[in-house]
Amino acid sequence: MIVQDKFFCKIDFSYNEIRGITNTDETLLTNEVNQNGGDIFLRNMREEFYFNELFSYSFKTIEDYQSLFSNFRGTYDIKNSKAHCDCHVARFLKFCPDDFYRVYKAKNNALLCGSPENLVNVSVIDIPLYNEVFDEMICEVWDHCPRKCKCIEQPRRDRLFIDCSNQSLHTLPAEMPQSLFNLEIDFSDNSIINIDNREYLKRTVEINFERNLLKTVDKTFIENIPMMNSVKLKENQITTLAKEIQNLHPDIFLFNQTEVVCEC
């Protein structure tokens, strides 16, 4: 569906099978354009309405979401249609809920989830009130997700969770997806011997290396984790630690019972 940057009162696409709005040319809802369009009717759609394509290209930061509706005066009326309540809707509810409710007339139309199955008929407006429901609004991320891993975006928890556990890995994957959020990575139950230098470690806040074959925590790793809150290292073969570890908070590293060589 294409909406030009022109003044209009109403465009009616109701009773169709439109599942979302694309923005591939990056002209829709941009702060560079004064968009005073009217109402776009998307009522009584036969399929759930997806929000994933609208901002895929131009909105890369949290600040983009917080300011995205600032120049938009129209509405998208999706009365009697239902939303696909995944991580894309969760981003709106987390970063710009009031604008989201206004533009999509969610309060007037009692917007409900039509999918996924565990959120069917849940009120979109009520979701932020219940953390366990909000947690269910996730997306699996495929782009640059390592072949043996599963990457799940979970906006409510501000994280992209990457599960690479129990995959017979011997080395760290070369790359991880880019994301609005910090990374939490599970490498437990593998055969990783060394913690190689990887760009994504700088974006990681939690990492789990439990039950691997690590023998050392070296200087390169310690200097490459500025945002890290937790490094789980239980049940490895660690015998040496770089002295730079003393510059970090001691609660970051969880060793359990591990014998290491302590040199002055």
Side-chain angles (χ1 to χ4, degrees):
M1 185 182 81
I2 300 174
V3 180
Q4 299 293 337
D5 176 37
K6 302 292 183 182
F7 292 95
F8 60 90
C9 292
K10 181 176 76 173
I11 301 176
D12 195 344
F13 294 103
S14 299
Y15 296 95
N16 281 291
E17 296 182 1
I18 297 172
R19 303 194 71 180
I21 303 171
T22 60
N23 188 33
T24 55
D25 59 358
E26 302 188 22
T27 61
L28 188 62
L29 287 179
T30 65
N31 288 327
E32 289 74 24
V33 179
N34 187 21
Q35 294 176 323
N36 292 295
D39 293 324
I40 299 175
F41 281 63
L42 298 162
R43 295 178 173 182
N44 298 283
M45 290 296 155
R46 301 184 184 96
E47 302 285 345
E48 287 79 27
F49 193 83
Y50 282 69
F51 293 85
N52 55 318
E53 294 297 331
L54 182 52
F55 309 110
S56 297
Y57 298 89
S58 55
F59 293 90
K60 305 297 184 183
T61 68
I62 293 173
E63 290 72 21
D64 287 334
Y65 276 84
Q66 292 172 335
S67 63
L68 72 103
F69 290 117
S70 60
N71 289 328
F72 189 73
R73 300 296 176 264
T75 62
Y76 292 88
D77 192 332
I78 53 179
K79 185 176 182 178
N80 297 328
S81 297
K82 293 185 177 182
H84 178 65
C85 293
D86 61 2
C87 71
H88 299 93
V89 176
R91 292 179 187 178
F92 292 127
L93 297 179
K94 186 174 182 67
F95 302 134
C96 53
D98 292 337
D99 283 330
F100 177 72
Y101 298 150
R102 173 181 60 82
V103 171
Y104 286 95
K105 304 182 76 170
K107 293 183 178 180
N108 294 338
N109 294 337
L111 181 60
L112 301 177
C113 299
S115 58
E117 184 177 353
N118 54 337
L119 294 177
V120 170
N121 292 327
V122 173
S123 169
V124 173
I125 294 175
D126 291 340
I127 286 174
L129 301 177
Y130 305 100
N131 287 340
E132 66 274 13
V133 178
F134 211 163
D135 279 342
E136 297 294 327
M137 301 179 75
I138 60 176
C139 295
E140 187 164 357
V141 178
W142 300 94
D143 192 24
H144 298 294
C145 188
R147 182 172 60 87
K148 292 186 175 183
C149 305
K150 189 172 185 177
C151 302
I152 301 294
E153 180 182 307
Q154 192 175 31
R156 211 281 295 182
R157 294 181 180 243
D158 295 309
R159 71 175 182 173
L160 178 65
F161 178 67
I162 296 114
D163 185 2
C164 299
S165 62
N166 197 27
Q167 295 299 320
S168 301
L169 298 179
H170 291 83
T171 60
L172 300 191
E175 60 180 358
M176 292 289 181
Q178 294 296 320
S179 176
L180 286 170
F181 306 106
N182 296 323
L183 309 186
E184 296 181 13
I185 310 175
D186 187 354
F187 286 124
S188 63
D189 297 290
N190 283 291
S191 300
I192 298 171
I193 298 174
N194 296 308
I195 305 176
D196 300 312
N197 188 12
R198 296 287 188 261
E199 172 276 330
Y200 56 80
L201 293 175
K202 296 179 180 179
R203 301 183 280 124
T204 302
V205 294
E206 293 187 15
I207 197 163
N208 187 349
F209 286 116
E210 293 180 353
R211 294 176 296 279
N212 275 275
L213 302 175
L214 296 174
K215 295 183 178 180
T216 184
V217 179
D218 62 20
K219 175 181 178 181
T220 301
F221 172 67
I222 292 171
E223 293 179 344
N224 203 30
I225 54 172
M227 302 178 64
M228 196 71 70
N229 296 321
S230 174
V231 181
K232 297 179 180 179
L233 293 163
K234 296 178 182 179
E235 298 183 48
N236 276 275
Q237 301 175 10
I238 295 173
T239 57
T240 58
L241 300 174
K243 66 179 182 179
E244 286 78 10
I245 199 172
Q246 65 186 334
N247 298 325
L248 301 178
H249 195 285
D251 289 345
I252 291 177
F253 292 89
L254 303 176
F255 291 101
N256 203 10
Q257 294 183 347
T258 302
E259 294 184 5
V260 298
V261 176
C262 299
E263 299 179 352
C264 61

